[in-house]
Amino acid sequence: MRLTKTIRKTRAQNAKNKARSKNKLLTKRFIAFAVSIVIIGGAVFRIIYIKQNELTFPVLSPPASDALYKNPSQPIEARVKDLLERMSLEEKIGQMALIDKRSLSKPQDIKDFGLGGILSGAGAKPSTNDPQNWYRMVAEMKKQSKESRLGIPIFYGIDANHGHSNVLGATIFPHSIGLGASGDAELVNKIAEATASEIKATGINWNYSPSLDAPKDIRWGRVYEAYSDDPGLNSKLGVAYINGTQGPGQSYILASAKHYLGTGSMVWGESNHKKFKIDQGKILNDEHALNNYYLPPYKAAVDAGVGSIMVGLSEWGDTRIIDNKYLITDKLKTELGFKGFVVSDWYGAYEYSGTSKYRANINTINAGLDMAMLPYEYKAFIKDVRKAVQKNEISQGRIDDAVSRILYQKFRAGLFDEKEQDPDIKIVGSIAHRQLARQAVSSSTVLLKNNEVLPLSKTNGEILIAGSGADNVGRQSGAWTVEWQGIDGNWVPGATSILQGIRQTVGNSGVQIHYNKDGAFNDRKKKADVGIAIVSEKPYAEGWGDNPSPRIDKADLETIRRLKLSSNKVIVIIISGRPLFINDEIKSWDAAVAAWLPGSEGAGIADVLFRDKSFSATLPLPWPAIESQLPINHDGATKDQSRPLFPRGYGLTTN
Ligand code: BGC
């Protein structure tokens, strides 16, 4: 009995073991099967993917060394024509592609795909950020382009909108809003020339400036990139900048007026971008505003010979401006007679198109776009546009027109005839440029209120200094400085904070300066003569700076309050990219100064505080008191018809 039981048990155990090992085997087979499916599937997918992205250029022989287009003594038109006739369709489309340097799979792609332009989008810098390394990085890319079959050099673009500000060590000039406050075309012209020479020293040949935007709403995060809300002032300063950039000085750099068209007049709450409120938003389709406010600065820029114009990311009514043939071809190219090339903004050709990239490229090129800031996926762009031409969805004539415009500007900029030269690296951040920037700071600082406290004495007295912007070059420089969203702190080589500038100015005179960032001077026995609170906005760029209610932040208000306890008089200096709502607070200050975003030369502020120079700047746009006044029309009328805190053109002096 017992034996049979044991035998049964053993048999059952064996059966179990068998079943278990069978299961194991099945599992193993299944895993092996699944793994092979994944491997094979992956391989098939890879083949399809590579096939889809494969882009081969027809193999053509190089041109003769004496080809007409290579001859600098030939007229530009003849050189363009000769070169165009030698180009394959793929080479032409390659010229229409502008890509961010970070998107290059390998530098040789510039040569292999005949790319037309490379840019350093904000923050795209060499691994070590100094002028020498910028030069090396760009030189390598230029070399690749010159080794392409036809040797067509690239445009290398950058946003040097307040000096060559991506480069550590460069002079950081005041942002445009400050230059608008100076109203000084000659100064702007000199700044553009100085910036162009710093750009040239790093081998770059294209600057995405000037901005001709005209902000109607201070809640927008790009107010400071504009000179003014006044089309007349924008035209005057824009032309001065273009002339300084594109010559006739030593350094011809291609300028780009932006952001065509009407940017600054978007409606709050109507942005294309999910995270923004007004940037990249809708502009009302208004023919009167178009002809009277939006087009005039571009007419002035075109008449000044600007080589490129960047179309913005906004909508005109319900359609994107970049898709709008009426605005780009009929108005800009035909009516204004623009002969340069039209470039789109970052992802401008397709980010918000609501259609496929293929269709978006067709729409934008047919609307008049000549060079697309992709900024990635150049192979797909060339393939798509080639297909569209082959299917007659874009005419060969349109492609030829776009490429001729680009080539014309390349010849005009002398890119084909450039000789290798040692770069003038020393000019980057040179003393002469810093002096010019310092002068620009004092010319752009607006005195808003003065109850007999300014100018300050340079010979005696005691001054307390406080505030988030007092000793912070990053804050006073704002965004588009080294990084897209700016930096915090004092790590820009050669720069001077406002506190340092004041200390340098008073030197060893009898004036005593005490600094405490938070204004905590509570251990004092007696009040100081003057307290200066330097309050600041944190740097921001583009829609990240859209703000429903721009104001002085709580910490700085607290600092002002504390400073008042220890000073007889209080001066508030506002470092900001736009007017802030100060209606309630200003009443209790003895003096108020709008310093905008002055850049690397903080000593320029001391120059006006201590009257080494009188205050002369005036507001380049109205300074609103409350939100209900927004937007403020270009003629100065507020939305609720009440008076702004200060109108455009307001500014006191200390003469
Ligand atoms: C900005 C342009 C800029 C471009 C290239 C975009 O995000 O709107 O003003 O020129 O980037 O950096």
Side-chain angles (χ1 to χ4, degrees):
M1 250 331 247
R2 198 175 281 161
L3 191 66
T4 27
K5 224 177 178 182
T6 321
I7 292 172
R8 246 191 250 139
K9 232 182 172 179
T10 322
R11 276 193 191 142
Q13 191 58 45
N14 284 348
K16 252 191 202 164
N17 287 348
K18 222 171 170 184
R20 226 181 257 151
S21 49
K22 203 172 168 193
N23 276 349
K24 264 193 195 158
L25 192 71
L26 278 178
T27 319
K28 267 191 194 156
R29 280 196 185 144
F30 178 76
I31 292 175
F33 177 71
V35 169
S36 23
I37 289 285
V38 170
I39 293 174
I40 295 168
V44 170
F45 179 78
R46 231 175 108 77
I47 292 168
I48 296 174
Y49 181 83
I50 291 172
K51 258 290 175 259
Q52 261 180 7
N53 286 286
E54 190 177 79
L55 176 63
T56 45
F57 272 35
V59 182
L60 300 167
S61 43
S65 56
D66 63 349
L68 185 147
Y69 78 90
K70 295 188 178 177
N71 183 348
S73 56
Q74 289 291 330
I76 294 185
E77 286 78 4
R79 297 178 81 183
V80 170
K81 184 167 176 291
D82 179 67
L83 177 52
L84 194 73
E85 281 167 3
R86 296 170 190 270
M87 293 172 80
S88 68
L89 177 59
E90 290 79 1
E91 283 167 329
K92 289 178 184 171
I93 303 168
Q95 283 302 304
M96 296 169 70
L98 170 60
I99 65 159
D100 186 273
K101 77 131 190 136
R102 290 167 289 201
S103 74
L104 268 179
S105 0
K106 47 183 183 334
Q108 204 190 319
D109 277 5
I110 298 176
K111 165 179 160 189
D112 292 349
F113 301 113
L115 300 174
I118 313 290
L119 83 143
S120 270
K125 46 190 177 287
S127 44
T128 304
N129 186 351
D130 62 30
Q132 194 74 50
N133 275 301
W134 275 91
Y135 182 83
R136 280 197 204 110
M137 177 184 85
V138 176
E140 168 58 23
M141 298 195 199
K142 283 174 154 175
K143 182 167 156 276
Q144 290 290 342
S145 66
K146 287 181 186 160
E147 285 171 3
S148 62
R149 184 180 77 93
L150 294 161
I152 306 175
I154 44 164
F155 268 129
Y156 195 106
I158 198 151
D159 295 280
N161 45 26
H162 62 142
H164 198 10
S165 52
N166 287 277
V167 178
L168 263 187
T171 315
I172 313 291
F173 289 92
H175 266 294
S176 298
I177 194 73
L179 303 184
S182 81
D184 187 342
E186 206 185 315
L187 175 71
V188 170
N189 183 265
K190 282 189 195 151
I191 290 175
E193 270 184 12
T195 305
S197 65
E198 296 203 11
I199 295 174
K200 188 168 183 177
T202 53
I204 295 173
N205 47 30
W206 189 10
N207 183 2
Y208 303 129
S209 298
S211 160
L212 299 180
D213 298 347
K216 283 182 16 178
D217 195 323
I218 62 155
R219 292 172 292 187
W220 184 34
R222 304 193 78 164
V223 170
Y224 61 89
E225 290 184 60
Y227 296 117
S228 168
D229 69 329
D230 171 20
L233 188 55
N234 281 342
S235 305
K236 181 172 108 174
L237 301 186
V239 166
Y241 196 94
I242 292 163
N243 288 339
T245 306
Q246 296 192 164
Q250 287 290 301
S251 337
Y252 183 103
I253 299 293
L254 179 74
S256 198
K258 67 185 188 185
H259 304 84
Y260 188 81
L261 174 89
T263 309
S265 288
M266 299 80 64
V267 178
W268 178 259
E270 300 266 347
S271 176
N272 274 320
H273 192 292
K274 278 194 239 96
K275 302 213 162 135
F276 300 167
K277 285 288 180 216
I278 184 167
D279 189 41
Q280 306 185 9
K282 193 193 284 286
I283 297 164
L284 301 179
N285 172 344
D286 171 350
E287 207 57 26
H288 174 80
L290 170 66
N291 292 315
N292 292 283
Y293 300 128
Y294 306 155
L295 279 177
Y298 286 95
K299 166 137 185 32
V302 168
D303 292 348
V306 70
S308 68
I309 289 183
M310 188 188 293
V311 175
L313 297 166
S314 295
E315 283 184 344
W316 180 251
D318 290 327
T319 54
R320 298 176 327 138
I321 295 177
I322 192 70
D323 282 351
N324 194 315
K325 189 164 187 222
Y326 168 66
L327 293 179
I328 300 176
T329 300
D330 301 353
K331 283 288 184 183
L332 180 61
K333 290 184 173 174
T334 311
E335 190 179 306
L336 301 192
F338 175 54
K339 296 279 179 283
F341 66 89
V342 169
V343 60
S344 52
D345 199 347
W346 193 259
Y347 275 128
Y350 39 70
E351 192 168 29
Y352 305 109
S353 68
T355 178
S356 67
K357 288 186 180 173
Y358 175 73
R359 195 58 47 201
N361 286 326
I362 295 174
N363 294 346
T364 52
I365 293 171
N366 284 339
L369 173 66
D370 302 312
M371 189 185 259
M373 189 189 291
L374 294 166
Y376 304 105
E377 301 178 27
Y378 43 101
K379 293 181 197 164
F381 172 79
I382 299 175
K383 273 189 89 172
D384 278 356
V385 178
R386 176 173 65 184
K387 184 167 146 200
V389 176
Q390 284 160 349
K391 289 175 71 180
N392 252 335
E393 291 183 285
I394 301 175
S395 70
Q396 183 68 56
R398 178 73 270 276
I399 298 289
D400 286 352
D401 171 51
V403 178
S404 307
R405 287 169 177 269
I406 296 164
L407 294 178
Y408 189 96
Q409 295 304 323
K410 289 190 171 181
F411 281 114
R412 180 185 179 205
L415 306 191
F416 285 83
D417 313 318
E418 230 171 38
K419 299 269 168 305
E420 269 312 311
Q421 265 178 355
D422 281 343
D424 187 7
I425 295 286
K426 286 188 312 304
I427 203 139
V428 180
S430 66
I431 292 175
H433 289 176
R434 290 186 185 282
Q435 277 165 352
L436 177 64
R438 179 172 174 167
Q439 179 198 337
V441 173
S442 52
S443 304
S444 59
T445 305
V446 182
L447 182 57
L448 298 173
K449 176 176 179 181
N450 187 15
N451 276 351
E452 293 175 8
V453 53
L454 287 167
L456 297 170
S457 159
K458 244 206 275 184
T459 49
N460 54 49
E462 205 180 9
I463 300 177
L464 307 183
I465 298 182
S468 63
D471 194 23
N472 194 325
V473 169
R475 291 247 176 149
Q476 78 196 34
S477 299
W480 301 98
T481 306
V482 187
E483 299 294 341
W484 182 39
Q485 296 294 327
I487 53 172
D488 210 10
N490 288 334
W491 50 276
V492 173
T496 309
S497 74
I498 298 173
L499 174 70
Q500 289 162 348
I502 293 176
R503 286 206 157 117
Q504 279 168 21
T505 298
V506 300
N508 294 328
S509 70
V511 183
Q512 292 173 48
I513 304 284
H514 307 287
Y515 167 66
N516 179 287
K517 180 168 170 266
D518 305 319
F521 296 100
N522 20 7
D523 51 350
R524 297 178 53 84
K525 300 236 163 42
K526 88 179 212 319
K527 286 191 172 184
D529 305 294
V530 176
I532 306 180
I534 303 167
V535 299
S536 62
E537 280 192 302
K538 284 201 187 99
Y540 50 79
E542 304 195 27
W544 303 107
D546 288 353
N547 180 343
S549 187
R551 305 181 167 271
I552 298 178
D553 77 17
K554 285 205 182 93
D556 270 334
L557 287 177
E558 216 10 57
T559 301
I560 299 174
R561 190 191 64 76
R562 277 194 290 263
L563 194 61
K564 273 194 207 150
L565 302 176
S566 6
S567 330
N568 285 324
K569 298 222 167 179
V570 165
I571 303 170
V572 176
I573 299 179
I574 304 168
I575 304 294
S576 67
R578 53 185 152 200
L580 303 178
F581 293 124
I582 51 169
N583 206 25
D584 296 330
E585 295 86 0
I586 194 172
K587 294 172 196 141
S588 64
W589 308 338
D590 298 288
V593 171
W596 314 110
L597 298 167
S600 58
E601 306 314 306
I605 305 278
D607 291 340
V608 276
L609 294 180
F610 295 90
R611 212 187 28 210
D612 285 330
K613 263 184 79 180
S614 299
F615 280 93
S616 60
T618 57
L619 291 180
L621 76 178
W623 189 296
I626 40 172
E627 281 92 334
S628 59
Q629 294 181 330
L630 300 173
I632 305 183
N633 245 321
H634 295 293
D635 59 10
T638 60
K639 184 177 175 202
D640 67 5
Q641 308 289 326
S642 62
R643 280 177 34 188
L645 184 59
F646 303 112
R648 186 202 302 136
Y650 173 86
L652 305 173
T653 181
T654 38
N655 270 333

